[in-house]
Amino acid sequence: MREPSTIKILERNLESLTGKKILVLNSTDGELLPLLCEHRAESEITFAHTDYGDAKMAERRIPLSGRSRITIKYGAWFGDSADRFDLCIAYLPKGRELRDLTFAMLARITDSAGKLAVVGPVRGGIKSAGKSLESLFNEVTKVDTARHCVLYEATGRKADKSEPISLDTWRKESTYTVGDKELSICSYPGVFSHEKLDDGTRMLLETITEIPNGRVLDFGCGCGIIGAWAHSCNKDARIEMIDSNSLAIEAARETAKINGMSADCVYPSNVFSDVTGDFDLILSNPPFHTGIETNYEVSEEFFTVAAARLTNNGRLRIVANRFLPYHKMIKKFVGPCRTIAEDKRYRVYEAIRQSD
């Protein structure tokens, strides 16, 4: 969840955030776009997003006038451009390894005389970001704090190291054993199950022994292990994997290739925004809850739309924390629901959409 003061701290430091060429990374919902359009009318601005939903939201917020000087990009890596930016503004990512990836990427495209501004909440680890920036820039300054939010500015980009840096630098390949099967999985920092198979997904996979010949969707695919498992169970099935996180998309595409699948079966989607047609089976470890912070409205929307995307008698099978009231929700929005596996932490549910 974005800290409410993030936009405020950027707004009150707007005077120092200048440049002819500006890149903004992961401005949530494109919130910074109207502000920069108004106050940096002469600047060429690129809004880069690693989240597909945020990228689409930013596109919708571009004013009809001035579109030629605003560029929206979606992807996992923006550090290979020959262009340099006078100013890069980055919203702090979660997790140290993902933070290091992000800062190294931005350092490559920040002009030697330019500035990198990083903003984020204290609870998100912004206090330790300064040391990471110091390895890449000569001068790092904490310029403002507000309501548990901090803004850093880094200048004097250090010379590039001789070793090339690309997204592949952070690529990890792991082998997971589930039951009597081994799967090779590719992952990147910030992707769910990065370098470690979570117990919930493992429980879900252990229940999957048969896959229908029709269309199968791995929703919120992360590194792609569920889709790869489904493919190993039935190589004639048409497996599709979707996620909004661009690093997850890159990881799942690599996972697909090393498991003999086409990388084309993986594509970005904001929930079901880019999904067409119906599925015989939808599999997921839904990404709608973190600890006690659970968005039940999103969960209800997922179950409702998932039901609409199932063929008659199509199945939905998910794993979730057992304290979540998903059984009643699935029964209400999808159809008859049963628990097919559980332990002290998780439950695996399966629902069948009733024939019309």
Side-chain angles (χ1 to χ4, degrees), residues 155-183:
T155 56
R157 176 178 59 83
K158 295 179 180 179
D160 293 338
K161 296 179 180 180
S162 58
E163 182 181 352
I165 296 177
S166 67
L167 186 58
D168 282 345
T169 306
W170 282 270
R171 183 182 186 274
K172 302 291 184 181
E173 188 171 325
S174 305
T175 299
Y176 297 139
T177 301
V178 181
D180 59 353
K181 292 183 181 181
E182 284 190 351
L183 288 176

Side-chain angles (χ1 to χ4, degrees), residues 82-96:
D83 294 332
R84 299 281 186 177
F85 293 88
D86 307 306
L87 170 67
C88 290
I89 303 173
Y91 285 61
L92 184 75
K94 294 181 179 179
R96 174 156 191 160

Side-chain angles (χ1 to χ4, degrees), residues 228-243:
W229 179 272
H231 174 73
S232 73
C233 293
N234 184 353
K235 291 180 171 53
D236 292 326
R238 180 181 170 187
I239 312 294
E240 297 178 33
M241 306 185 224
I242 62 170
D243 206 296

